[in-house]
Structure formats: structure tokens, C-alpha cells
Amino acid sequence: MTLLVTLDHYTVRGRPSKSETMLTVVFWVILFFVAENTLLHTLNYFSPSLHPVFSTSLLNRRILSRHIGTDAFGCMTVSYLGLQSSHYLSLFKKKFFSSSVKINPKYENRLWEYIPASQRILTIFLAYQFKNLFDSIIWSDGPEFIAHHILAGSAAWGGMYPGVGSVYGIFFMGVSEISTTVLVILANFDDDLGVKGLAEAFPGLRVVSAVGFVVAFIGCRIVAWPWVSWFLLKDIKNALANGDDKKAKERKVWLVGIGFILGSLTLLQFLWLGQIFVMGKQEIDKMLA
């Protein structure tokens, strides 16, 4: 049984076994714990010389360690690998900028092809969701976060086994996490969900993080997400309608499940956009008051 570390491990022998994937997931979960606790111990060691917002509060140091050591680390990893493999998405990008570009209506390659780079992204993303699920329970984040991690992790597993929409995984579990990376950094400035007092201590960094998140969120989640979703949902619909496709019959539950998860998350993107504008207006009003 091989620990899947490099891309070659996903390439040489084709799709890895489930046991190898789970071994690698455990490895990454442990790595997230190590990164988070290493950062926490570092902050504790240097706490006397840190800003009072950290030096006087162990809770604040724990929160920062979680958001950076696990969340930012996990999101940065999959988004970097997604960007590294974004050439697989070139056809969708070309179609976005030119209506004359034709996308083959045959969905088989897009839904059933095994892409090693995507398999690696989905494996790490699944590990991140396991760690996130654990954190959400420990920190009492709420049922909506627990449900999100379970659904997102399930979609990642379906992308690997039996294998549905591998190419799409590069975007949804990879590139789109750019906006989440900025979000988990911005979350530190929230007095309720993040480090209490950090926004007052570093107002400039908060503004930069907020602007960066809005730009990344609109680009990744409001523009690119619905665009790529349209093609995936169309491919799923065509696969389900094709009575001669044996793979579609065998993977019907996963096709329907992934389509449902994607549709639900797409709707949430626009609801969150409305919340962003409301919160943005509130922040501007505070600045002008």
C-alpha cells in the first residue's frame, strides 16, 4: 500500500485503491493537526512579545492557529494545485471569452475520464473536510457547517470513487478555493467568529483582507462557479438521459447527488453575495460615521 505524496503516485498505476487514498487522507489530516499545533506552540512561545490581542488571550491564539494552520493551509494547498492544473479547464475559459468556441456535446471524457491531478486535489480536499468536520464539532460551529463539510466531502469522494467529473473537481475543489483562502484569513477579524480585538488592532489589514475577499469571491464564486456549473449540470443531465451508457446507470446515485449538492451550493453563492453587500454597507457606514 502506497502513501500518495507526489503526482507520480497518482499517474503511474492509474486510479489508486481506496485503501491507499484513505491512508493518504489520514496522513493529510495528521499534517493539518501538526501545522495547527505547531503554529499554536510558536505563538505561545513568543506570546510575551506579541501584540496584546494575542499575548493576553490563549483563546485568540488558538483561533488564529486554527484559521491559519488548518483552514488557510488547506485552502491554499488545493487552490495552488488547482491553478497548477488549470490547463484542463482551458476549454471552459475559451468558451467564456468567445461564443464561437465549441464544446463537444459528448460528455464521456468530462464525466468518466480519470485525471491524476484532480484525484490528488480531491484526496487533499477530502482530508481537509474531515479535519474541518472535527473542528466544527469541537468548536460548536453549528449544524450548517457540519452539513457543508459532509456534503463537500461526499462530493469529493464521488469524484474519486466511482469517479464522476474528475475534470470539474479541479475547479470546484481546487481553483474556487482561492476565495475561501482569503475568507478564512478575513474571518480572523470577526469578533464573534475570529480573534476578538484583531480588527481594532490591525484595521488596515482588515480592509485589505475584506477587499481581497470581495474580489476573489465575485471572480471565483459569482462569475466562474455558475459558468462551470452549467456545463457540469448539462453533462449530468445528458448522462442520465442516455439509456445506453452503462457507467451512467451504475453511477446514477452519484450523478444525482453531485448535481443536487452543486445546485444547492450555487444558490448559496448568491445568498452569500447579498450578505456581503449588506455587511459591506454596514462597514462603510461605520467608517463614515
Side-chain angles (χ1 to χ4, degrees):
M1 192 161 57
T2 303
L3 181 65
L4 309 171
V5 180
T6 69
L7 187 58
D8 286 341
H9 290 140
Y10 294 88
T11 304
V12 176
R13 296 180 292 112
R15 192 187 304 274
S17 66
K18 293 179 181 179
S19 58
E20 289 175 322
T21 294
M22 289 311 300
L23 173 65
T24 306
V25 166
V26 171
F27 167 78
W28 274 97
V29 170
I30 293 174
L31 192 60
F32 288 133
F33 273 107
V34 170
E36 178 180 328
N37 283 281
T38 298
L39 178 57
L40 176 59
H41 287 305
T42 301
L43 291 174
N44 287 340
Y45 180 80
F46 289 104
S47 61
S49 58
L50 295 176
H51 190 281
V53 74
F54 296 117
S55 61
T56 59
S57 174
L58 174 60
L59 178 60
N60 281 354
R61 296 195 295 273
R62 290 183 61 206
I63 291 172
L64 185 68
S65 298
R66 176 195 175 187
H67 286 167
I68 301 299
T70 290
D71 295 330
F73 174 41
C75 291
M76 286 177 66
T77 300
V78 293
S79 60
Y80 169 76
L81 294 176
L83 288 173
Q84 197 177 54
S85 308
S86 61
H87 55 279
Y88 286 103
L89 306 171
S90 59
L91 188 60
F92 300 117
K93 291 187 287 185
K94 291 177 182 177
K95 180 65 176 177
F96 182 83
F97 291 105
S98 176
S99 59
S100 63
V101 174
K102 302 296 181 183
I103 291 185
N104 193 332
K106 293 183 178 181
Y107 59 83
E108 286 82 358
N109 285 343
R110 292 189 294 273
L111 285 186
W112 312 139
E113 181 184 9
Y114 168 68
I115 300 176
S118 178
Q119 190 84 2
R120 178 168 63 165
I121 291 170
L122 293 174
T123 300
I124 299 172
F125 182 84
L126 178 60
Y128 173 56
Q129 294 309 317
F130 272 122
K131 177 60 166 63
N132 247 338
L133 179 61
F134 173 83
D135 288 344
S136 291
I137 295 172
I138 296 299
W139 288 83
S140 300
D141 289 343
E144 67 277 14
F145 287 95
I146 292 174
H148 173 272
H149 302 324
I150 292 174
L151 290 175
S154 298
W157 183 259
M160 293 187 289
Y161 307 100
V164 175
S166 187
V167 66
Y168 290 106
I170 293 172
F171 173 76
F172 291 112
M173 280 75 172
V175 176
S176 71
E177 290 302 300
I178 294 173
S179 62
T180 314
T181 302
V182 187
L183 173 61
V184 296
I185 293 174
L186 177 61
N188 288 297
F189 294 93
D190 187 285
D191 281 342
D192 295 324
L193 301 176
V195 177
K196 192 173 183 61
L198 188 65
E200 294 181 5
F202 303 98
L205 286 177
R206 183 192 185 192
V207 171
V208 171
S209 299
V211 172
F213 169 66
V214 171
V215 172
F217 185 84
I218 292 176
C220 292
R221 304 289 179 146
I222 302 303
V223 177
W225 182 288
W227 179 252
V228 181
S229 297
W230 166 258
F231 292 103
L232 175 53
L233 292 174
K234 190 175 181 180
D235 283 344
I236 291 175
K237 178 182 176 181
N238 290 337
L240 292 172
N242 186 355
D244 296 326
D245 191 333
K246 293 182 179 180
K247 288 185 177 180
K249 290 180 180 180
E250 295 171 352
R251 307 174 189 186
K252 181 178 179 179
V253 172
W254 282 109
L255 286 169
V256 174
I258 289 175
F260 172 77
I261 293 172
L262 177 61
S264 301
L265 291 177
T266 301
L267 178 61
L268 283 174
Q269 312 298 335
F270 291 95
L271 294 177
W272 287 334
L273 180 63
Q275 292 179 345
I276 289 173
F277 281 122
V278 171
M279 293 174 62
K281 183 178 183 304
Q282 292 174 348
E283 292 301 320
I284 292 175
D285 289 342
K286 288 179 183 179
M287 292 171 62
L288 296 178

